[in-house]
Amino acid sequence: MTSKKELRWEVGWSNGVQEAPERWVSASVPGAVQLDWARAEQWEDHTYGNNWRQYEWMEDKYWTYRARIPVPVIKEGERLIFVSKGIDYSFHVRVGGSIVWSQEGMFTPVEVDLSEHAGKRDGIALEIIIEPAPKLAGATGRSQAAHSCKPAVSYGWDWHPRLIPLGIWDETYLEVRAAEHIVSAEVRYELTDRLDAATLSLNVRLNADNCAPGELVWRLSDPEGVVMFEKTVSIMGKTVRTEASIENVRLWWPHDHGEQPLYTSEVYWDGSGHSVVHPQKIGFRRAKLIVHEGGWKEPSQFPKSRSLPPITMEINGRAIFCKGTNWVNPSIFPGTITSAYYRSLLALAKSANMNMLRIWGGGIVNKESFFEHCDAMGIMVWQEFPLACNLYPDTPEYLRVLSQEARSIVTRLRKHASVVMWCGGNELFNAWSKMTDQSLPLRLLNSICYEMDPQTPFLSTSPIEGMGHGHYMFRYRTGEDVMEAMPRASNTAYTEFGVPSPASIEQLKTFIPEEELFPPRPGTAWEDHHAFHALSPEMWLMQDQLDYYFGPYETLEQVVEYGQLLQSEGYKCIYEEARRQKPRCSMALNWCYNEPWPTAANNSIVMWPDKPKPAYYAVQASCRPLLASARIPKFVWNEGEWFEPELWVLNDAPVEAQGGRVEACLTIGSEEKVLLLAWDYDEIRPNANRRGPTARYLLPAADAERMTLELIVPGREELSSSYTLLYRAGGRPATSVSSALNFST
Amino acid sequence: MTSKKELRWEVGWSNGVQEAPERWVSASVPGAVQLDWARAEQWEDHTYGNNWRQYEWMEDKYWTYRARIPVPVIKEGERLIFVSKGIDYSFHVRVGGSIVWSQEGMFTPVEVDLSEHAGKRDGIALEIIIEPAPKLAGATGRSQAAHSCKPAVSYGWDWHPRLIPLGIWDETYLEVRAAEHIVSAEVRYELTDRLDAATLSLNVRLNADNCAPGELVWRLSDPEGVVMFEKTVSIMGKTVRTEASIENVRLWWPHDHGEQPLYTSEVYWDGSGHSVVHPQKIGFRRAKLIVHEGGWKEPSQFPKSRSLPPITMEINGRAIFCKGTNWVNPSIFPGTITSAYYRSLLALAKSANMNMLRIWGGGIVNKESFFEHCDAMGIMVWQEFPLACNLYPDTPEYLRVLSQEARSIVTRLRKHASVVMWCGGNELFNAWSKMTDQSLPLRLLNSICYEMDPQTPFLSTSPIEGMGHGHYMFRYRTGEDVMEAMPRASNTAYTEFGVPSPASIEQLKTFIPEEELFPPRPGTAWEDHHAFHALSPEMWLMQDQLDYYFGPYETLEQVVEYGQLLQSEGYKCIYEEARRQKPRCSMALNWCYNEPWPTAANNSIVMWPDKPKPAYYAVQASCRPLLASARIPKFVWNEGEWFEPELWVLNDAPVEAQGGRVEACLTIGSEEKVLLLAWDYDEIRPNANRRGPTARYLLPAADAERMTLELIVPGREELSSSYTLLYRAGGRPATSVSSALNFST
């Protein structure tokens, strides 16, 4: 048995590698130096008010962790290894005063053999010295991260304070191993074209060139634990390779398309002193990006350009409409994220009928448990490398670190069934980044993915041509609302789109001092938490839009209600419109799912740490595999206008939908509900929508400010939908025209 | 000294690898089996009439070359090597009856050590067995080439008969070498950011792991032959690496932007028995693809997609407008192409003011002398890999051969200053190919180019988004002519566009039997040579368009004159319009330059083998670095219409153009010349155009069918331009309305 030993750590700061800290405080590992220091100083929580500002100085310090290797720790024929799965960001490992390892990069695990230092009387000092956060000279904000593989988000984003975590951020321990042991055992597979059988290849690396003769045992069990085969393989040299085939493979599917059978491979070395089992879960699936149906018909004119690149995800030969979201770091301090926290957020995503998460390149590559949950839950992962909104350079120094980090990332993640796509990073081919297809970092990443995981699609960045990002507001700068704008869009994938809302009152009260709560205004904790001046002066509370649609508010309850209504109706519109545009469109991922700390207003639908907003439930409804849906021409309706919703049944499920009836009913304020139209539809083929008639109704006078369109499917209430719209009696104009005008500048 | 020995070859065919040919005929090496056989059979030239049809059976035979190794050939301490720089396509090398080497791929050179067979009494038999041309099962035409690296063009194209060459196609000989010798010696370099100094890296491979101690000599001479340094390097192991730096580097430029200084590196091994010098010419330059000026302003709307990919070629920090053409195989049998033939065609291209050649992926990768000429002449080369208009598969078998061939191609060509761009192949992202960014062959090629030549741009295919291919006719299927259509196009690069014309009468007479010469009609040698049914029934004579513009013709002279007029005026329009669209547009390459045999009608501007058409001179004029130019709204003008040419001065030169005057003069038929407008323009900055006024003139009645617009630059006649247009008195309609209507279906 390998035995793992936790260490007792302390941490302190100084102004140089050679300078010892003056003060040492107790450290939590994994964690972040900032949190250790704050705990020692008994600071209030960093999420409250403007407390985060206290942390700024820490990014420029040298932080040293220290621990003492206990005695005695190993026996004859054993090795003592220091293992860390992640240290953030540039660091040195010092043993007994000498630097034995230096590294840049938080995604490459560290192993240092400390055997020669084991068993010393009083133990020996083990130190990890963390260098100051990397900063590109002359740059400010996120572009300080443009020459490193440090996630850019911590340098400040429109929903993330500038607070750059440093320290040991993933599992870290001492391990006692047999002198000769397995370093890694990985299974890769190839499915037959018919997807009914697989050839598995085992690749084992040993730690020594000439291990004693012996035999490895390789066993594969099916999802119920029944052993499918057990092979013994003779050890010859430093690597062991062997193959095996299995028939009647049960395929892994996204949760809305099938089961998630996970097989288990186990490898162990019977003859060695420590019989350590190296397990691996395997979900068999084939992932491809294919051109959407009809895509090859374009372009049709001369001079003729290329057809659009493929972005329809095909799993096991089936085109899947990807409904999901953009995942951001769920904490400012990734070192504190636990498996249980990941599980909580992922279970919510699955429950919202989401089958894909885009892991945005501005943030971290998540810890192992994240992917284990996604494998088990049937959630597809689009994994980006840590590049976002910057011009990452062609220099050999950067390419060396990127290559190291990317290889570590692909080595760790390629075994996960859930990881169906690699992507170079976020918005790299736009004006604010200025990278191109010729940029060497992206050609490097494409090469590494081709070499190490060629069967998984690779996208240079998002968006590429055909795909769209944005908009990020209910009412566009052109003056039209999202319901007017979206039907005219014709993108192949909407991989970012947002509508902001304030957090709930309960949430706001946890981090905004009571005296600042109302009215919301710049210069308070509202601004610290991104309600003002986050990207533009109005973002993300969008007070101008609340004014425009609802008139001046009088209470905090109104602010929250108005904003959350816009967010819910806006997201419903975009998800459902994207689905209506199938098959040209095959993906709808909103910006963003979660948040790293409590924001006062944000595009997120889940508040920190894992509390759904009303929009979460709206999205959940719009992402049902089968539902009645309406294309509604606009948000604000006036007395005397023709109200003309277009009726649809949307079906993303892999099964035929039975026929039924949709009753479109309108309720204006407290007036009686009116049946606009009853539409009988026939059965609908799998993964296809049905476009129905347009109802038409002359809006009568009423004493009301809102109206509700309900689509009722009698006998199948689970398919029914509801939309809240604004109603204006007497054709009265927008309450706040001047604010609208200001807004369009 | 290494000594090369030519061999005396014979060739014959059989129906299997193991079956000996029944008849042997004398073979020319390099060449093609077809030509050897035709010579022995005393067939008439394959270019005449429909003679090419005689060759069809040959593609399915096994062809065996044989030669006898002469005795004695080597001394003690020497090695006898069989060297071939290219054998087309799948083949085996058999020595004394045993197969010693098998290979698929014509671009990977072969070396086989025959030392043990040398000195035998009567010599020993050396055989090269060529397999039948590769054909994808179930496919027809060009798609038979979709699983191999055999250039697709030979399987039949709209300007190339189906005639698939096979055989030894590049230099092939026996070589006697010292037992220990240099296998390869390559210099790579890096320029400083300021482009004023270079670090050179020498990488030498030796043939044995443990060569006798000794010293290599490395010498660099400047373009005048003055030695810049001479280094001796000790030999240790199988590879030798060393570096050197030079200052005040003189840069290589395209011919219209500067000089082509070529330095010479020489490496030799003083201590070895054979002091062989390994020379390499070096032209120092930096090539990049950059985004055009203003390109980052797009897209401006939400949902926002990516900005267009870069296609502006920057050499040594200067954006270059690329004017050039698409180069196709200058012979059906590439084995017959000589350095002198390459030089003749390339000198014509340079003389036509062309600075770039796109080496189209449907054809071969040219022999070494092609690139030596381009280096010396300052012609940039866009080199494609051998993929075109097919769905090349993701299979391991194909990827293995593609990898081998691509590595051989990059190894050979990356040392040439002229090779400024790699490209995956032709039109792979269009409906007729159905490859995408996810296709593994293209990801492999990107990876190989990144690994082996990262400083040279790589394009997946042409066109990619922003770029345009086509149209390939004077009058579009929409009914509008090229002058109407092109100003509305807004592509970043026009990398294919064509206007066809018949060959000259003199040329037509060389391959069309006299009785078939007039009138041109299907079913004759006109059709064999692509005047009819080449792609559509009218292509490429386009008799319908000749009728539409000129009415029925009565003589062969008229056919040729009409077609050549459309071609000349069409190409002038497109080249000059592309230049007017600078800087958004930065490239204009017509389809195509030359041809592999005499066509009766084709988009080419140079007839086989190297005879300019009138359009060649039109293109030459439109590609002058500095010229007066007119944007003319359409081709056919009627009495009583306002004639409204827009005046420009186009300047692609890297120097300021002095100011001057453009006099726009119109001559209708034999009427007197009229001055429409005199425009005085100021000096124009380097590489920039000047847009001038629009002249306006009410077209009077005249007894004429043509009119000529001349732009005269007094005192600088070399900048003057002239355009021939059609004039119709009395506003008479097109002569052939019904043909126009048919055409638009």
Side-chain angles (χ1 to χ4, degrees), chain B residues 71 126 345 404 451:
Chain B
V71 280
L126 171 64
L345 279 168
Q404 163 206 297
E451 174 198 331

Side-chain angles (χ1 to χ4, degrees), chain A residues 304 306 437 458 465 469, chain B residues 304 306 437-438 465 469:
Chain A
K304 197 184 280 293
R306 63 164 292 179
D437 316 69
F458 174 86
E465 59 278 16
H469 276 199
Chain B
K304 198 184 281 290
R306 63 165 291 182
D437 316 68
Q438 300 301 327
E465 60 278 16
H469 276 198

Side-chain angles (χ1 to χ4, degrees), chain A residues 440-454:
Chain A
L440 296 189
L442 298 174
R443 295 185 62 194
L444 171 67
L445 291 173
N446 193 349
S447 295
I448 288 173
C449 290
Y450 176 80
E451 173 198 330
M452 299 181 69
D453 193 22

Side-chain angles (χ1 to χ4, degrees), chain A residues 630-653:
Chain A
R631 179 181 268 162
I632 303 171
K634 58 177 184 166
F635 182 58
V636 183
W637 294 88
N638 298 302
E639 174 192 332
E641 280 185 320
W642 287 99
F643 177 60
E644 298 177 310
E646 182 180 294
L647 307 188
W648 289 69
V649 176
L650 306 180
N651 182 24
D652 286 346

Side-chain angles (χ1 to χ4, degrees), chain A residues 603-626:
Chain A
N603 289 302
S604 61
I605 59 172
V606 174
M607 295 180 294
W608 183 84
D610 55 3
K611 304 171 202 158
K613 288 180 177 176
Y616 168 89
Y617 299 101
V619 171
Q620 183 181 51
S622 293
C623 291
R624 282 171 291 170
L626 181 66

